[in-house]
Amino acid sequence: MMATTPTVVNGKKVTIIPATKSYYPERDDVKPVREKKRVAAYCRVSTMMEEQQGSYNLQKSYYESFIKNNPAWEFAGIYGDEGKSGTSLRGRTGFLAMMNDVRAGKIDLIITKATSRFGRNNTEFMNILDELDSYGVEVKFESEGVLTSEQQNRIMLQVIGATNEHYSSTLSSNVRWSKERNMRSGKVTIAYKTFLGYEKGPDGEPKIVEEEAKIVRLIYDLFLDGKTYTYIAKYLTEQSIPTPTGKKTWGSGCVKSILTNEKYAGNAILQKTFRRNYKDKRIRKNDGEKPQVIVENNHEAIIDKATFAKAQELVKEREGKRTQGTGKSPFNGRVICADCGEFFGHKTWTSRGRIKYSMWVCNHKYTEETSYGGDKCKTANLRQEWLESGYIYTMNQLLAHRGEYLAKYERKLARIDHRLNSGSIEEEIIKLDQEAKEIDERRAVLIGEWEFSYSDNNRFNNQLGELEKQAGANIAKKNELNTEKTRLNAEKKILESFTDVFKALPDKMERFNTQVFTKTIDHIEVGQYVLAYYLYGGECIKVNLNLIKKMI
């Protein structure tokens, strides 16, 4: 037993006998102190930016050389995480691997650049230090010059941990504010790597990639021709067209995302997703919890606004509805039961004379529920030729009074133009933009005063909350105006498109035309004896089913 030389303290002789073993309460074994300390290093950078990647590699290289050049140390490895935030241990595989090796008794000392490298969540930070201490593992934080085995450093580490967490909270608040300010100013960020149809132009704005844009237009054309998401995905795969991420196989979800992405119409909706706070790693869909901003005419559109509006209407019609068939018919997603609101699906029926008929039937009529006594819809089962003949009859009714209907559409267009061009919408938006700018300036002053003073946090939070409330109301009002403007512009495009097609038609329609049908008919509502053809623009022509049968 080696003892220190006795010293006299307050008249008493004191001899210190140093420890020769390390005891680990979390394990059953007691192991003797090693001749050389097994030393590891931990490195972390929070982003994958090129500058930080360089810092990460330099840290690893430095610590490996630093440990190996100390004769009293045994190199136990370098652990690290790139592009990982310090607000949570989740996803930090390098750190978790290091802790597993600590529990396995492979490490005696950990060296790291600073306490913030371990984490910016104070509760997790202190729990980690407690666990490391229970295994007899020391940590050296170089920037602070602190070694955890020294008891007097414990309070200092608690203060440092709280400071790191406060820094994360403040930084997150400032970043969030900066993003909201950019959002309100209409600054749009696009992930070009996985965005089909665009690349970043020389001026930093989205630039159309024509070869990819052709694929986007093809998807919209197929969809408006009545094709389903699944049919379009299968067709694109068969044509060996790569997905936005470069994969060979398309999915229906990918097709739908392209059909519902407003950026293809030249607009952008900002803050579609959000996180609750700086510790929350889950990305949530914004269903009204946070304000959103609509940026119109942000970049050149691949899909014109009228076509995009038609696609959104068709998406809504199909939402939650069941469709039958392969999606090859223009009637898919357009024929609706007047009794239950369900779509009609396509079926092929064979008569006793072995004649096959292309039929359209309400999808709710022959379900398991109705087969066992449920109420069946009383709507008619329709031959496809009846639907086509009814459409020809409808268009001929319109063409017989072409001038009257064109005048009606022109009046609708004039009312829309008056609202759009009177200046009231634009003037209100400009006024709201000025208010938003003033709110931003007041918030910047408030944050600046708080960061460099000892102001009461409650007062600061109340004032900041009031400004955020005003900003939210400002954004909501602006979104309301932009939504009205978008709706009116889309309605205008639809009416203009319809009138262009209507003007170009001959005085009488002789045969069914798929292209004209998809550009003029919004949907067909089927009753027991009547078919109601609803045209884009709001007009409706009702046709008696018996009359249609007599025409064939």
Side-chain angles (χ1 to χ4, degrees):
M1 180 185 298
M2 297 292 294
T4 61
T5 302
T7 58
V8 178
V9 180
N10 295 328
K12 300 176 183 180
K13 186 169 73 173
V14 178
T15 302
I16 298 174
I17 302 174
T20 58
K21 295 181 180 180
S22 292
Y23 178 65
Y24 297 81
E26 312 300 329
R27 298 160 54 191
D28 294 332
D29 61 312
V30 176
K31 91 182 158 174
V33 174
R34 299 171 61 89
E35 291 184 5
K36 286 188 175 185
K37 275 190 177 181
R38 295 163 301 176
V39 182
Y42 177 71
C43 314
R44 179 181 66 80
V45 291
S46 57
T47 74
M48 294 296 289
M49 292 175 63
E50 188 175 337
E51 295 85 350
Q52 288 215 341
Q53 285 182 315
S55 170
Y56 177 74
N57 292 328
L58 284 173
Q59 284 182 56
K60 289 174 66 177
S61 176
Y62 164 76
Y63 281 122
E64 183 172 352
S65 174
F66 179 67
I67 294 170
K68 287 182 176 179
N69 287 333
N70 190 324
W73 290 350
E74 178 183 322
F75 181 65
I78 303 290
Y79 302 84
D81 292 297
E82 286 186 275
K84 301 296 182 182
S85 167
T87 56
S88 172
L89 289 177
R90 190 185 307 163
R92 290 168 62 185
T93 54
F95 192 91
L96 296 174
M98 180 182 73
M99 292 303 295
N100 286 335
D101 285 347
V102 164
R103 297 175 188 116
K106 298 179 180 180
I107 300 172
D108 300 313
L109 171 65
I110 298 169
I111 301 176
T112 191
K113 182 180 178 182
T115 53
S116 60
R117 297 307 87 198
F118 258 41
R120 295 189 186 276
N121 182 320
N122 193 37
T123 302
E124 278 191 353
F125 175 70
M126 296 309 298
N127 287 340
I128 289 164
L129 295 186
D130 286 340
E131 183 175 2
L132 290 170
D133 184 60
S134 73
Y135 283 99
V137 176
E138 300 172 294
V139 184
K140 177 66 181 291
F141 299 107
E142 291 202 301
S143 293
E144 293 87 352
V146 173
L147 186 66
T148 57
S149 59
E150 298 172 358
Q151 190 62 35
Q152 67 270 23
N153 290 331
R154 182 71 182 184
I155 296 176
M156 184 189 301
L157 286 169
Q158 288 179 324
V159 173
I160 291 171
T163 303
N164 287 336
E165 181 166 340
H166 175 72
Y167 172 81
S168 277
S169 175
T170 304
L171 180 63
S172 174
S173 177
N174 289 339
V175 168
R176 188 170 63 251
W177 172 56
S178 177
K179 285 183 177 180
E180 288 178 1
R181 183 173 58 183
N182 289 337
M183 184 176 71
R184 287 197 289 269
S185 66
K187 187 175 181 179
V188 178
T189 303
I190 294 176
Y192 293 100
K193 190 175 180 181
T194 57
F195 192 50
L196 189 68
Y198 289 97
E199 65 182 3
K200 190 173 183 179
D203 58 353
E205 296 299 319
K207 177 185 175 184
I208 292 177
V209 180
E210 192 53 43
E211 286 303 310
E212 294 180 4
K214 289 177 182 177
I215 301 170
V216 175
R217 296 188 191 105
L218 173 63
I219 291 171
Y220 276 79
D221 287 343
L222 290 171
F223 185 64
L224 292 175
D225 274 346
K227 307 299 186 293
T228 62
Y229 306 132
T230 302
Y231 175 89
I232 297 170
K234 183 180 178 183
Y235 176 80
L236 295 171
T237 301
E238 289 173 349
Q239 296 300 311
S240 300
I241 296 173
T243 69
T245 56
K247 296 179 180 179
K248 294 180 179 180
T249 304
W250 285 75
S252 58
C254 182
V255 171
K256 185 179 179 183
S257 70
I258 291 174
L259 288 166
T260 55
N261 193 327
E262 77 289 341
K263 292 185 179 68
Y264 288 115
N267 303 325
I269 298 175
L270 308 182
Q271 197 157 252
K272 293 180 181 178
T273 59
F274 72 100
R275 289 190 175 100
R276 286 178 177 170
N277 53 57
Y278 73 99
K279 293 182 182 180
D280 185 12
K281 300 305 175 187
R282 179 182 168 190
I283 298 176
R284 305 165 192 274
K285 182 181 178 183
N286 186 0
D287 288 322
E289 295 87 351
K290 295 283 185 179
Q292 290 184 320
V293 171
I294 299 172
V295 183
E296 290 191 277
N297 303 318
N298 178 71
H299 52 274
E300 186 180 357
I302 292 175
I303 304 298
D304 66 81
K305 288 181 171 57
T307 301
F308 184 78
K310 289 178 185 176
Q312 302 324 295
E313 289 179 6
L314 187 52
V315 166
K316 288 179 181 177
E317 287 176 10
R318 294 187 182 183
E319 198 68 44
K321 301 290 186 177
R322 293 169 297 161
T323 57
Q324 299 291 330
T326 62
K328 295 180 180 179
S329 170
F331 295 108
N332 263 353
R334 279 192 170 89
V335 185
I336 302 172
C337 176
D339 276 6
C340 69
E342 182 63 271
F343 281 120
F344 271 49
H346 179 263
K347 298 180 182 297
T348 301
W349 286 0
T350 304
S351 70
R352 292 180 181 177
R354 310 307 295 170
I355 300 174
K356 291 186 177 181
Y357 293 99
S358 184
M359 301 295 296
W360 289 85
V361 181
C362 175
N363 286 325
H364 183 65
K365 186 175 287 190
Y366 299 107
T367 61
E368 184 177 344
E369 176 188 347
T370 56
S371 297
Y372 290 93
D375 292 332
K376 290 186 178 181
C377 301
K378 295 181 175 60
T379 49
N381 299 330
L382 303 173
R383 293 186 189 178
Q384 182 159 315
E385 57 188 348
W386 297 347
L387 288 169
E388 293 173 354
S389 295
Y391 172 70
I392 293 170
Y393 177 83
T394 296
M395 293 307 294
N396 283 331
Q397 291 296 305
L398 292 174
L399 290 168
H401 305 278
R402 195 195 309 246
E404 180 184 333
Y405 281 105
L406 283 175
K408 188 180 290 188
Y409 275 73
E410 291 297 338
R411 287 195 294 272
K412 288 182 179 179
L413 284 168
R415 286 195 295 270
I416 292 172
D417 281 334
H418 178 74
R419 175 62 177 150
L420 288 173
N421 300 325
S422 64
S424 59
I425 292 180
E426 288 301 329
E427 286 175 4
E428 287 185 60
I429 290 175
I430 291 170
K431 183 180 177 182
L432 288 169
D433 284 340
Q434 182 59 37
E435 288 179 4
K437 184 179 178 181
E438 292 173 2
I439 292 170
D440 277 347
E441 290 172 352
R442 287 158 57 196
R443 181 172 177 173
V445 170
L446 179 63
I447 291 176
E449 290 177 349
W450 176 75
E451 285 182 335
F452 297 100
S453 70
Y454 294 96
S455 300
D456 178 53
N457 281 343
N458 288 332
R459 185 176 66 84
F460 167 76
N461 289 332
N462 289 337
Q463 291 177 342
L464 187 62
E466 181 59 32
L467 287 176
E468 288 180 344
K469 184 179 178 181
Q470 292 175 21
N474 177 281
I475 291 172
K477 180 61 178 175
K478 186 177 177 181
N479 281 347
E480 185 180 320
L481 289 171
N482 278 322
T483 299
E484 181 186 4
K485 184 179 173 183
T486 300
R487 178 182 59 78
L488 290 173
N489 276 316
E491 188 177 349
K492 179 181 177 182
K493 291 287 185 182
I494 289 171
L495 291 174
E496 288 175 341
S497 175
F498 179 90
T499 54
D500 287 343
V501 172
F502 193 46
K503 287 176 182 178
L505 290 175
D507 291 337
K508 186 175 183 181
M509 182 178 283
E510 300 290 346
R511 65 176 65 88
F512 181 80
N513 185 306
T514 299
Q515 294 295 326
V516 175
F517 175 82
T518 56
K519 291 178 180 179
T520 54
I521 289 293
D522 182 74
H523 68 278
I524 304 168
E525 189 174 277
V526 181
Q528 189 173 1
Y529 305 110
V530 175
L531 304 186
Y533 287 80
Y534 287 85
L535 295 99
Y536 287 120
E539 294 300 320
C540 174
I541 302 292
K542 295 183 178 181
V543 188
N544 188 283
L545 186 55
N546 289 327
L547 176 62
I548 294 174
K549 293 176 181 179
K550 290 176 182 178
M551 291 189 298
I552 298 175

